[in-house]
């Protein structure tokens, strides 16, 4: 049920995304449209007649980075997020990686537990999401990965690849 979005679907998918993420964690709309020209970046919709959810992923060296996973408000709490993650695992057959907010509130703790139920591990290394634009600030986040917890050396490799490909930053 995951399918690459069309230009016609972009606005609906971006609406789901902007309703689900804080502005400082959201790729600006024009930036996202330009980024979709990159062959490593794929934005998927989920659903048949209605777009029930979306995910945006980066096919990186040795792992799939999930930049976004969001479910339309009308369809939340129906297992759609888990279905999207399962389909990504089945399709890509490589470790998955994503960013989450630190477990400092009930909602961030619930989100981390959701990912844990879906086979992700919370890695406790310091991480910061670089700003998407000059108008935004960097965001302290954490990295979750599938398969197992990762070593600090693996974390540094993953962080370097994400910074380089996703955020166009070198460290």
């Amino acid at each position: 049920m995951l399918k690459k979005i069309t230009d016609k679907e972009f606005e609906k998918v971006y609406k789901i995304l902007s309703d689900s993420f804080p502005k400082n964690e959201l790729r600006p709309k024009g930036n996202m449209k330009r980024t979709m020209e990159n062959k490593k970046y794929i934005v998927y919709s989920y659903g048949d007649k209605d777009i029930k959810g979306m995910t945006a992923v980066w096919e990186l060296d040795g792992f799939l980075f999930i930049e976004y996973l969001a479910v339309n408000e009308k369809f939340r709490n129906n297992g759609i997020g888990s279905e999207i993650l399962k389909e990504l695992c089945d399709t890509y057959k490589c470790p998955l990686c994503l960013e989450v907010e630190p477990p400092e509130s009930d909602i961030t703790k619930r989100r981390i537990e959701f990912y844990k139920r879906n086979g992700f591990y919370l890695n406790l290394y310091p991480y910061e999401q670089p700003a998407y634009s000059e108008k935004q600030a960097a965001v302290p986040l954490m990295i979750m990965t599938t398969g197992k917890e990762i070593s600090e050396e693996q974390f540094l490799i993953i962080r370097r690849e994400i910074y380089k490909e996703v955020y166009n930053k070198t460290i």
Side-chain angles (χ1 to χ4, degrees):
M1 299 235 321
L2 280 179
K3 62 183 175 86
K4 291 181 185 181
I5 68 166
T6 63
D7 287 339
K8 258 176 52 176
E9 295 171 312
F10 179 81
E11 291 298 327
K12 288 180 184 176
V13 166
Y14 196 82
K15 172 86 169 94
I16 293 168
L17 185 60
S18 62
D19 288 346
S20 303
F21 281 84
K23 289 212 182 304
N24 62 344
E25 294 178 35
L26 188 61
R27 186 179 287 278
K29 190 187 289 187
N31 179 312
M32 187 168 191
K33 277 193 152 192
R34 282 188 305 279
T35 303
M36 289 172 60
E37 295 170 13
N38 186 322
K39 290 180 179 159
K40 293 181 180 183
Y41 188 64
I42 304 166
V43 180
Y44 292 106
S45 64
Y46 182 85
D48 291 328
K49 293 177 185 172
D50 292 317
I51 297 176
K52 296 179 179 178
M54 64 79 60
T55 188
V57 301
W58 287 87
E59 296 174 337
L60 300 179
D61 190 20
F63 66 98
L64 184 77
F65 176 67
I66 302 171
E67 182 176 45
Y68 296 112
L69 171 65
V71 175
N72 185 324
E73 282 182 284
K74 295 187 288 187
F75 301 102
R76 287 189 185 150
N77 300 312
N78 290 306
I80 291 168
S82 294
E83 289 174 22
I84 291 171
L85 290 172
K86 182 179 180 339
E87 193 165 338
L88 288 173
C89 282
D90 292 347
T91 300
Y92 284 95
K93 310 253 188 270
C94 66
L96 307 183
C97 172
L98 53 81
E99 301 163 331
V100 291
E101 295 168 295
E104 297 170 347
S105 68
D106 286 341
I107 193 156
T108 56
K109 288 175 186 172
R110 282 197 315 267
R111 191 172 296 124
I112 289 168
E113 288 306 313
F114 161 77
Y115 286 117
K116 283 182 176 179
R117 285 191 307 275
N118 283 280
F120 283 80
Y121 296 85
L122 184 64
N123 298 283
L124 302 178
Y125 308 109
Y127 178 83
E128 187 174 79
Q129 177 195 59
Y132 278 113
S133 73
E134 292 176 8
K135 296 176 184 175
Q136 294 171 297
V139 182
L141 296 176
M142 299 179 83
I143 292 288
M144 295 188 80
T145 52
T146 57
K148 61 182 178 178
E149 292 177 62
I150 57 174
S151 69
E152 185 172 8
E153 183 180 335
Q154 291 168 309
F155 167 77
L156 293 173
I157 291 167
I158 288 170
R159 183 182 68 178
R160 186 174 24 249
E161 181 78 2
I162 292 170
Y163 274 31
K164 179 179 137 203
E165 297 295 338
V166 177
Y167 300 107
N168 203 23
K169 306 267 186 223
T170 55
I171 51 171

